[in-house]
Amino acid sequence: MIKAFENHEIWFVTGAQLLYGGDAVVQVDGHSSQMVDGMNASGILPIKVVYKGTANSSKEVADLMTAAESDTKCVGVITWMHTFSPAKMWIHGMQKLRKPLLHLHTQFNKEIPWDTMDMDFMNLNQSAHGDREYAHILSRMRKGRKTVVGHWQDPKTLEHIAVWQRVAAAWADSQDMRILRFGDQMNNVAVTDGDKVEAEMRFGYHVDYVPFSTVMTYFEKVEDKAVDELVEVYFKEYDHAPELEDKNTVEYKKVWNSAKAELTLRAVLEAYGAKAFTSNFDDLGDVNVEETGKGFDQIPGLASQRLMADGYGFGGEGDWKTAALVRTAWYMGQGLPKGSSFLEDYTIHFDGANSALLQAHMLEISPAIAAEKPKLEVHHLGIGVRKTPTARLVFTSKTGDGVAVTVVDMGNRFRLIVNEVNCIESKPLPKLPVASALWIPKPSFEVGAAAWMLAGGTHHTSFSYDLTTEYWEDYAELADIEMLVINDETTLSNFKKEMRVNEVYYMLNKALK
Ligand code: MN
């Protein structure tokens, strides 16, 4: 179990019926307990599974699902039919359950006991029969769920459950996610905008605006001593040039200002109970900040980097959709080794089969994906309302496979776009001192980038090394939104066909609801 998820539970409900007598149900119950104990002891599942008993009637199913809905620890329900369980008895319960559902198609015994099997055994161990009946009613009800097939002791089966558990936990987190926007969208930018009302209905999160005048009330309360202490933490945590510690230099003052911005943003985020935020480099307080001191002297880049590493979602230039996805990727990936971050497509390196995209932002990349210890540096930044030096963490990313995802608003639906990518070694950028990553989109730069743009994908992504497409597929299922995957299987002609089919599907789906 992962400590970060210790307040979450997954409930396990076994379907049966009383047709085969009370003794059979007792055996079903015993097997189920043993299975849940085994799954918990496997070391593969990040969240504890709690066995909730057998459900043998419509009322029992409905009572269990009502309880699951109202229990704050429960973030999802696993169901499995040990015997035949006539599926009309699942209708009322499944109407009540809105939390994530996983249908586990497994069986207590792994192999058929050829020599000893009799009719009693067949009646007791008929998951192949019962799970089909149960799945029928879920499909008849158009009930979204993940179906996992495999023996409960097989690590592969448990790994699929583990993925879904993390997604279920992040889904619960999303239902209670407040995203603060410090400043609006950048003027005229389309792709980062969208329907915040629909987003709250679909994804659960709430997006709020905080005027910079409010931010300033927190800024003014930050004590100099706290800023001095945070600067010391920076010097301890990150490599840096020794002259940065000279208090008489502009560079020291810039590090100090960055620390004050970080403490300000932390205070606002905590006061509002927010889990994600966006910034806008055109909205940083008083334009005469150099004289008045009433504002940030530059975008809070270092603050955004460090806040992301602590789990706050971040989106540049008012991009609340990506901020939410960055938080969700971080939440799902807790305890996994390689990290996640907000990233931005900037510049292309054409190089045949190795053509790649340089990922950077002005500053805001999470040090969670750094290959080496980040360096704290102060350099000039000429974008936005301020033209002045500022502190930032400089590093290049780890190498290896990852996924980049975005959500765009297509007008009648949200579309999740997932691109599997391969991060390759970057080269030093002596004249561009920012954090960066370099990746080759799958299946190739040409097809991957073309598919992404045909799908209307953003230049902002939520990127993770640890999460795979399977996580996002489970997430899209929960949100009940369109998902397009770009990977080694992608061809542009099939991708275009899929988008045309989806266009019709979502038009009809909307019309029917
Ligand atoms: Mn941007």
Side-chain angles (χ1 to χ4, degrees):
M1 310 298 142
I2 301 279
K3 196 166 169 26
F5 299 129
E6 67 187 0
N7 290 322
H8 297 319
E9 286 177 358
I10 295 292
W11 287 15
F12 190 103
V13 176
T14 304
Q17 64 168 333
L18 299 171
L19 180 71
Y20 312 110
D23 287 352
V25 174
V26 170
Q27 272 185 286
V28 167
D29 196 56
H31 286 169
S32 301
S33 288
Q34 204 179 319
M35 287 164 66
V36 169
D37 289 347
M39 289 162 71
N40 282 329
S42 68
I44 296 172
L45 300 184
I47 301 177
K48 189 182 180 197
V49 180
V50 179
Y51 177 52
K52 286 287 169 179
T54 60
N56 302 295
S57 67
S58 181
K59 184 173 184 316
E60 284 179 21
V61 174
D63 287 351
L64 274 167
M65 297 308 151
T66 305
E69 268 306 305
S70 60
D71 188 283
T72 49
K73 286 188 117 182
C74 173
V75 295
V77 177
I78 297 175
T79 48
W80 165 61
M81 306 302 120
H82 192 308
T83 67
F84 195 73
S85 176
K88 285 180 191 171
M89 78 182 216
W90 288 85
I91 293 173
H92 294 295
M94 284 301 135
Q95 282 171 334
K96 292 182 193 308
L97 185 73
R98 292 175 63 251
K99 286 185 178 175
L101 174 66
L102 185 144
H103 177 201
L104 176 60
H105 181 49
T106 191
Q107 185 168 278
F108 179 68
N109 53 301
K110 187 169 168 228
E111 292 166 1
I112 293 176
W114 302 103
D115 296 335
T116 58
M117 183 162 67
D118 57 14
M119 192 51 79
D120 284 345
F121 184 95
M122 280 280 278
N123 280 335
L124 186 67
N125 299 283
Q126 52 171 313
S127 304
H129 197 63
D131 272 330
R132 279 169 172 72
E133 164 72 3
Y134 168 70
H136 167 75
I137 202 68
L138 297 180
S139 292
R140 171 72 181 77
M141 293 172 74
R142 274 71 170 173
K143 185 86 185 155
R145 77 278 193 185
K146 181 172 191 171
T147 302
V148 174
V149 178
H151 191 251
W152 57 277
Q153 288 171 313
D154 183 347
K156 277 193 214 137
T157 307
L158 295 170
E159 277 152 20
H160 289 302
I161 297 172
V163 167
W164 172 82
Q165 284 194 336
R166 287 175 173 278
V167 178
W171 186 251
D173 179 67
S174 184
Q175 306 315 301
D176 181 36
M177 189 197 301
R178 192 173 192 185
I179 302 162
L180 298 186
R181 297 200 309 150
F182 304 120
D184 203 336
Q185 246 70 37
M186 289 298 298
N187 286 342
N188 270 318
V189 176
V191 77
T192 58
D193 220 329
D195 184 339
K196 296 197 280 293
V197 177
E198 182 70 12
E200 187 150 352
M201 288 160 64
R202 282 278 155 203
F203 303 106
Y205 52 70
H206 179 73
V207 188
D208 267 335
Y209 170 62
V210 179
F212 220 85
S213 54
T214 303
V215 175
M216 278 302 102
T217 63
Y218 290 84
F219 180 82
E220 279 154 19
K221 279 184 217 149
V222 174
E223 289 177 10
D224 287 358
K225 190 170 162 283
V227 181
D228 294 341
E229 283 166 11
L230 185 56
V231 170
E232 287 308 311
V233 170
Y234 292 172
F235 290 148
K236 276 202 196 85
E237 256 175 62
Y238 310 116
D239 288 343
H240 58 280
E243 50 272 27
L244 220 55
E245 295 193 39
D246 180 350
K247 293 189 178 171
N248 301 312
T249 60
V250 172
E251 283 74 18
Y252 179 87
K253 181 64 186 164
K254 292 295 176 184
V255 173
W256 197 92
N257 287 350
S258 294
K260 185 163 181 177
E262 178 181 333
L263 291 172
T264 304
L265 292 184
R266 278 187 192 277
V268 182
L269 291 164
E270 275 166 30
Y272 280 75
K275 298 173 179 174
F277 69 102
T278 67
S279 63
N280 181 324
F281 53 67
D282 279 342
D283 192 354
L284 299 169
D286 194 335
V287 289
N288 299 313
V289 63
E290 297 290 349
E291 294 95 69
T292 65
K294 290 186 185 304
F296 290 172
D297 68 338
Q298 188 44 287
I299 54 165
L302 176 59
S304 300
Q305 290 186 294
R306 286 173 46 84
L307 285 161
M308 254 192 281
D310 286 349
Y312 286 101
F314 171 79
E317 299 95 44
D319 185 355
W320 50 272
K321 298 200 301 299
T322 306
L325 278 187
V326 169
R327 163 70 183 194
T328 293
W330 175 85
Y331 202 89
M332 288 180 194
Q334 289 177 95
L336 298 176
K338 289 182 82 177
S340 57
S341 180
F342 171 74
L343 281 176
E344 238 184 328
D345 302 311
Y346 258 92
T347 297
I348 303 164
H349 181 64
F350 283 107
D351 183 21
N354 292 319
S355 289
L357 271 166
L358 184 73
Q359 303 294 312
H361 188 255
M362 289 172 297
L363 305 177
E364 298 104 335
I365 298 183
S366 172
I369 66 165
E372 73 277 7
K373 194 176 182 186
K375 283 196 193 72
L376 179 68
E377 297 182 21
V378 173
H379 299 281
H380 184 76
L381 185 66
I383 303 173
V385 282
R386 311 278 197 257
K387 319 283 181 206
T388 182
T390 191
R392 79 281 308 270
L393 296 176
V394 181
F395 55 86
T396 52
S397 79
K398 300 175 182 96
T399 54
D401 285 344
V403 289
V405 301
T406 188
V407 165
V408 292
D409 187 340
M410 296 301 289
N412 63 344
R413 65 188 185 275
F414 287 112
R415 168 181 278 172
L416 181 79
I417 310 165
V418 178
N419 194 179
E420 298 176 8
V421 301
N422 178 28
C423 289
I424 58 173
E425 199 129 332
S426 191
K427 287 194 174 141
L429 298 161
K431 301 281 186 185
L432 183 70
V434 296
S436 67
L438 183 67
W439 74 44
I440 304 175
K442 292 183 182 183
S444 64
F445 171 74
E446 290 82 359
V447 175
W452 184 273
M453 288 186 282
L454 286 168
T458 41
H459 50 271
H460 286 173
T461 59
S462 167
F463 169 78
S464 168
Y465 289 105
D466 304 307
L467 306 180
T468 58
T469 296
E470 184 180 353
Y471 287 81
W472 293 108
E473 190 171 339
D474 289 356
Y475 175 81
E477 186 72 53
L478 289 175
D480 191 18
I481 58 168
E482 181 186 11
M483 174 184 181
L484 294 171
V485 178
I486 306 164
N487 61 15
D488 276 334
E489 319 279 293
T490 301
T491 64
L492 287 179
S493 55
N494 282 338
F495 194 74
K496 284 192 270 189
K497 276 178 213 150
E498 184 182 355
M499 284 195 294
R500 283 192 201 107
V501 170
N502 287 0
E503 201 70 78
V504 176
Y505 170 82
Y506 283 96
M507 203 187 298
L508 289 174
N509 205 33
K510 191 102 176 167
L512 291 170
K513 276 180 182 171

